[in-house]
């Protein structure tokens, strides 16, 4: 990919994306692989990179129902350039934060810099492979949010597993695990609102015991869920604790049994190697696997065959996608920071997850970057046109609510005080000037 043997690769061409992965026609992968919904991370550049490497589908980060309902849908063309100056246009669908949902200060800033984009979809690359995840605790709002976006995505997923305060305090995410009837009502309402061909799914965690989890699955299937992804941890577990593999098989079996073999059972949790994935399918009984932190550690884990791409090249390829889709440098830096540290990986895995880079890149040097151009220079993504480099350096800072403290990455693992950011759904990745507004999906 780009080059697995050189450290002097230019930015991948944005005309064709990163160069093609090896031909996989010599065999068939027996299971599907999905990129999980991850706050701040599962945005356009990581999704398009994962799809290139071989992911069968990607999930958006959690988007709160009211956030997307307050947005405006814009269809437009964007011109993208690679390091060699080659250009082409892509059609994109942007869901843009509306002025009416902003404070006076935010509105003033948006007037000069453009409204923040909450969600950018690239139909040419993501059609049929993008699942939109809703954060909701209300059946009516969830249905309205699904109706607004369903024509632009391949499916709708309800978040029932996030244990973070920003989600549970609003009765969303893992809070739904302790309120089954409300969870079922949300799935039932979304299912009834959408055309039959649009699948509705849920992502959950293990409940207090196997019987409770199986009962919850039964209710989801009865409500109309066509796929259930199970994170093999309970809501109270930390990411550094090992996933509870031994508790998953009865749940996977229940998904298939109650769904008469037509509901997909997906395993999520600690799938860092191909052997882990095979184990999830053969031992845990999953139909497919979903990858979160393992995909951040090395996104090329999705490659169907062959060895993983070296991590430094994966970061370069990710940077190429960020330039391609005009991602804000703060969000770009955050995702690369997650790629470069293991603080949220299971303790039992960390010794097998080296973070050594051939050009001496470190978290400290990463946090010292203040533009996309700085990041490209750190990772030796070559700029062959001075004019393009100046363009990157001078690009106006987009309106953004992506806020976090670099200390989160700079503190040694185990240091106290700094928690990972807990803002999700309203965090834009790019900014645009106001364009002609198309009707939202539920208005057309």
């Amino acid at each position: 990919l780009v080059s697995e043997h050189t450290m002097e690769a230019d930015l991948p061409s944005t005309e064709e994306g990163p160069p093609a992965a090896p031909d996989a026609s010599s065999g068939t992968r027996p299971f599907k692989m999905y990129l999980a919904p991850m706050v701040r991370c599962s945005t356009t550049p990581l999704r398009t990179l994962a799809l290139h490497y071989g992911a069968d589908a990607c999930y958006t980060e959690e988007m709160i129902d009211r956030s997307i309902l307050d947005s405006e849908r814009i269809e437009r063309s964007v011109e993208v350039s690679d390091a060699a100056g080659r250009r082409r246009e892509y059609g994109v669908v942007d869901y843009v934060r509306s002025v009416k949902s902003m404070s006076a200060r935010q509105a003033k800033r948006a007037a000069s810099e453009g409204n923040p984009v909450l969600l950018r979809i690239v139909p040419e690359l993501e059609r049929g492979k993008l699942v939109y995840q809703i954060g909701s605790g209300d059946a009516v709002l969830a249905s309205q949010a699904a109706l607004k976006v369903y024509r632009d995505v391949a499916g709708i997923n309800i978040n029932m597993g996030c244990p973070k305060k920003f989600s549970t305090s609003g009765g969303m995410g893992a809070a739904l695990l302790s309120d089954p009837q409300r969870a079922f009502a949300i799935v039932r309402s979304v299912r009834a609102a959408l055309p039959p061909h649009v699948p509705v799914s849920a992502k959950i965690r293990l409940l207090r015991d196997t019987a409770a989890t199986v009962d919850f699955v039964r209710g989801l299937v009865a409500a109309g869920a066509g796929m259930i992804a199970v994170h093999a941890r309970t809501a109270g577990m930390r990411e550094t604790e090992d996933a509870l593999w031994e508790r998953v098989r009865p749940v996977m079996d229940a998904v298939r049994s109650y769904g008469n073999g037509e509901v997909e059972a997906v395993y999520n949790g600690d799938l860092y190697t191909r052997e882990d994935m095979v184990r999830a399918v053969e031992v845990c009984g999953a139909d497919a696997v979903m990858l979160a932190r393992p995909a951040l550690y090395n996104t090329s884990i999705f490659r169907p065959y062959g060895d993983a791409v070296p991590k430094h090249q994966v970061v370069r390829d990710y940077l190429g996608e960020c330039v391609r889709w005009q991602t804000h440098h703060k969000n770009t830096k955050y995702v690369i920071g997650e790629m470069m540290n293991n603080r949220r990986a299971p303790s039992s895995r960390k010794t097998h997850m080296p973070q050594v880079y051939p050009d001496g890149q470190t978290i400290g040097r990463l946090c010292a970057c203040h533009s996309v151009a700085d990041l490209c220079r750190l990772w030796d993504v070559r700029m062959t046109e001075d004019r393009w480099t100046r363009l990157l350096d001078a690009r106006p800072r987009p309106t953004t609510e992506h806020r976090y403290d670099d200390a989160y990455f700079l503190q040694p693992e185990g240091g106290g005080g700094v928690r990972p950011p807990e803002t999700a759904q309203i965090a834009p990745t790019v900014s645009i000037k106001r364009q002609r507004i198309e009707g939202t999906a539920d208005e057309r």
Side-chain angles (χ1 to χ4, degrees):
L1 185 71
V2 179
S3 171
E4 296 183 31
H5 309 291
T6 177
M7 293 162 52
E8 300 181 352
D10 285 342
L11 186 70
S13 166
T14 54
E15 180 172 355
E16 300 176 356
D23 179 23
S25 60
S26 58
T28 301
R29 187 171 61 203
F31 51 85
K32 291 184 177 181
M33 300 169 64
Y34 305 139
L35 176 69
M38 291 179 283
V39 171
R40 283 180 172 252
C41 297
S42 296
T43 53
T44 311
L46 188 66
R47 297 195 313 260
T48 55
L49 185 61
L51 289 172
H52 170 76
Y53 280 134
D56 293 287
C58 295
Y59 286 63
T60 69
E61 62 179 332
E62 177 191 34
M63 305 285 289
I64 300 303
D65 47 23
R66 292 185 184 274
S67 177
I68 205 70
L69 288 173
D70 287 338
S71 70
E72 298 171 326
R73 181 185 183 277
I74 298 174
E75 292 183 9
R76 71 186 190 114
S77 295
V78 294
E79 185 181 79
V80 296
S81 302
D82 66 6
R86 293 170 295 200
R87 300 181 181 184
R88 66 157 290 182
E89 287 191 349
Y90 278 92
V92 300
V93 176
D94 286 339
Y95 285 84
V96 181
R97 189 176 179 191
S98 64
V99 175
K100 66 182 181 181
S101 67
M102 300 181 190
S103 66
R105 181 179 179 183
Q106 292 169 334
K108 182 178 179 180
R109 187 176 184 180
S112 62
E113 298 181 358
N115 292 17
V117 176
L118 305 178
L119 174 65
R120 167 162 288 178
I121 300 170
V122 189
E124 182 176 334
L125 302 179
E126 299 186 281
R127 183 176 289 110
K129 297 181 178 181
L130 178 63
V131 179
Y132 173 78
Q133 188 182 66
I134 298 175
S136 183
D138 182 274
V140 174
L141 291 176
S143 298
Q144 292 173 345
L147 281 169
K148 186 159 187 174
V149 302
Y150 81 89
R151 288 186 175 91
D152 295 319
V153 298
I156 302 294
N157 181 265
I158 311 299
N159 180 4
M160 299 185 182
C162 180
K164 300 298 184 182
K165 184 177 180 180
F166 74 80
S167 191
T168 58
S169 62
M172 303 174 289
L176 292 171
L177 298 177
S178 59
D179 192 348
Q181 295 309 313
R182 187 157 55 91
F184 305 156
I186 291 173
V187 172
R188 190 179 302 112
S189 179
V190 173
R191 176 66 281 163
L194 298 178
H197 70 273
V198 180
V200 177
S201 59
K203 186 173 186 292
I204 71 172
R205 286 185 175 233
L206 295 172
L207 278 73
R208 62 185 181 276
D209 54 42
T210 299
T213 310
V214 168
D215 285 343
F216 196 86
V217 163
R218 180 191 295 113
L220 291 176
V221 172
M227 183 277 271
I228 298 174
V230 181
H231 184 166
R233 290 182 174 87
T234 63
M237 291 178 65
R238 298 178 62 86
E239 301 100 323
T240 52
E241 297 179 74
D242 290 334
L244 304 175
W245 293 75
E246 68 279 2
R247 286 188 52 186
V248 175
R249 181 74 197 218
V251 181
M252 298 284 103
D253 290 343
V255 172
R256 275 189 298 275
S257 174
Y258 296 131
N260 296 318
E262 297 180 357
V263 177
E264 188 177 36
V266 181
Y267 177 93
N268 170 229
D270 292 1
L271 302 176
Y272 285 88
T273 67
R274 185 53 53 89
E275 290 72 24
D276 291 335
M277 297 180 220
V278 171
R279 177 186 176 194
V281 172
E282 295 184 352
V283 178
C284 297
D287 299 315
V289 297
M290 180 177 284
L291 310 181
R293 300 210 61 79
L296 285 178
Y297 179 71
N298 191 323
T299 316
S300 71
I301 192 171
F302 289 109
R303 290 185 6 147
Y305 302 95
D307 296 331
V309 174
K311 273 182 64 69
H312 70 274
Q313 189 60 60
V314 171
V315 175
R316 288 175 178 165
D317 292 342
Y318 175 73
L319 265 170
E321 295 298 290
C322 289
V323 171
R324 187 185 196 188
W325 305 120
Q326 305 166 357
T327 305
H328 193 279
H329 78 273
K330 285 190 175 182
N331 197 49
T332 302
K333 185 168 77 169
Y334 175 83
V335 174
I336 294 175
E338 290 285 19
M339 291 175 169
M340 292 180 68
N341 85 87
N342 298 333
R343 69 167 65 213
R344 294 166 69 187
S347 302
S348 61
R349 300 277 183 158
K350 291 181 181 180
T351 57
H352 306 289
M353 299 171 64
Q355 294 284 5
V356 179
Y357 298 92
D359 293 328
Q361 292 92 343
T362 63
I363 290 289
R365 293 178 66 190
L366 174 75
C367 290
C369 293
H370 300 291
S371 69
V372 173
D374 286 348
L375 292 166
C376 288
R377 282 190 284 269
L378 175 63
W379 290 94
D380 196 25
V381 176
R382 305 282 178 92
M383 303 295 169
T384 59
E385 291 187 359
D386 290 341
R387 186 177 67 82
W388 193 64
T389 302
R390 289 197 299 272
L391 175 65
L392 282 176
D393 281 324
R395 180 173 292 166
R397 177 185 174 188
T399 303
T400 178
E401 294 184 11
H402 276 175
R403 301 178 185 274
Y404 70 95
D405 190 337
D406 282 344
Y408 165 60
F409 291 120
L410 289 169
Q411 273 195 338
E413 292 188 27
V418 181
R419 294 175 57 81
E422 291 194 348
T423 55
Q425 65 291 343
I426 63 171
T429 58
V430 297
S431 178
I432 64 172
K433 296 293 184 181
R434 291 183 63 83
Q435 306 283 330
R436 179 172 61 87
I437 306 300
E438 305 289 345
T440 54
D442 54 327
E443 296 171 342
R444 292 179 300 166

